[in-house]
Amino acid sequence: MKRGMILGCSIAGGVLVILIILVVWAVGAYNNLVTLNEEVTQTWGQVENQYQRRFDLIPNLVSTVKGYADFERGVLTDVTEARAKVSQFNITPEVLNDPQAFQRFQQTQGELSGALSRLLVTVENYPQLKANENFLQLQQQLEGTENRINVARNRFNEVVQRYNTSIKRFPNTIFAGLFNFTEKQYFKSVSGAENAPKVEF
């Protein structure tokens, strides 16, 4: 009788220990997914900040360039229209979980980048504008912002890769499915980004 009770207690104790280990492990796995998800959100915020910085610089740049009466109006129109498209895009936290919305975000930002590149290429034919102190400062700020955008996007992609890898690994994939941790999108090269803009005069 005593032997049966001791055996029963040992089995119950063993089961309890295993359950405690599983619960601790499950809590750790869940908390890790939460941490990675928050890291993705934080790095996304940095990407947004840099894009906003560029967005805020454009009116001053366009204003400075407009002062040169013979400057190509079409190039300025392209920049203004691309900026307007960016302003109409409503950025919500769901953009990270919606591949189509993320692609639209990237496309509108890519169009603005292309329009700005064409503007800066066109400026090369206007020596007086290139020598304008205000324009030079804006150009430097814009170039610095483009570099920061690139760094922020690369960092974002690294964090997303860690997160996506984690939610796809077994057994994390079980928790990811249970608690709605979904795959995040990467920034990709915009089609044609490898080609320099062609401006003909």
Side-chain angles (χ1 to χ4, degrees):
M1 185 81 174
K2 281 186 177 180
R3 218 176 196 185
M5 285 181 62
I6 291 172
L7 184 62
C9 287
S10 295
I11 291 172
V15 168
L16 185 61
V17 167
I18 290 170
L19 282 175
I20 290 171
I21 290 170
L22 285 174
V23 167
V24 168
W25 170 81
V27 168
Y30 175 80
N31 286 341
N32 184 51
L33 291 176
V34 169
T35 300
L36 288 171
N37 190 53
E38 286 302 311
E39 197 174 345
V40 169
T41 303
Q42 190 270 335
T43 54
W44 172 249
Q46 293 304 314
V47 170
E48 281 186 293
N49 286 343
Q50 297 311 321
Y51 276 127
Q52 184 64 47
R53 177 180 165 81
R54 177 176 72 175
F55 184 83
D56 293 343
L57 285 171
I58 292 171
N60 291 336
L61 184 69
V62 169
S63 201
T64 301
V65 171
K66 266 186 185 174
Y68 290 79
D70 59 342
F71 193 81
E72 327 294 310
R73 294 287 168 215
V75 175
L76 287 175
T77 301
D78 289 348
V79 170
T80 305
E81 287 176 357
R83 184 179 185 272
K85 279 186 189 176
V86 166
S87 71
Q88 292 168 359
F89 190 88
N90 187 21
I91 301 173
T92 62
E94 286 73 39
V95 167
L96 293 176
N97 299 320
D98 182 348
Q100 286 81 24
F102 191 86
Q103 187 177 7
R104 284 193 308 273
F105 171 81
Q106 188 173 354
Q107 183 179 353
T108 57
Q109 292 293 346
E111 288 172 9
L112 182 55
S113 292
L116 285 169
S117 293
R118 287 188 294 281
L119 173 82
L120 295 175
V121 167
T122 305
V123 164
E124 292 299 314
N125 292 322
Y126 296 86
Q128 286 181 322
L129 179 56
K130 279 174 50 179
N132 178 299
E133 188 62 35
N134 191 30
F135 175 79
L136 288 173
Q137 286 177 0
L138 287 167
Q139 184 181 23
Q140 287 171 355
Q141 288 180 34
L142 190 60
E143 287 169 356
T145 300
E146 290 294 337
N147 288 336
R148 284 193 284 277
I149 287 171
N150 191 41
V151 168
R153 284 171 45 135
N154 288 339
R155 172 82 176 114
F156 175 80
N157 279 350
E158 289 169 8
V159 172
V160 167
Q161 181 183 19
R162 277 202 310 273
Y163 169 84
N164 285 346
T165 301
S166 183
I167 67 167
K168 290 176 184 176
R169 284 187 176 155
F170 184 81
N172 285 356
T173 188
I174 296 167
F175 292 107
L178 284 174
F179 296 106
N180 204 25
F181 288 98
T182 56
E183 187 174 354
K184 307 293 185 195
Q185 301 302 304
Y186 293 98
F187 276 105
K188 296 176 183 141
S189 295
V190 179
S191 178
E194 68 281 358
N195 303 321
K198 291 179 183 174
V199 180
E200 295 178 6
F201 303 98

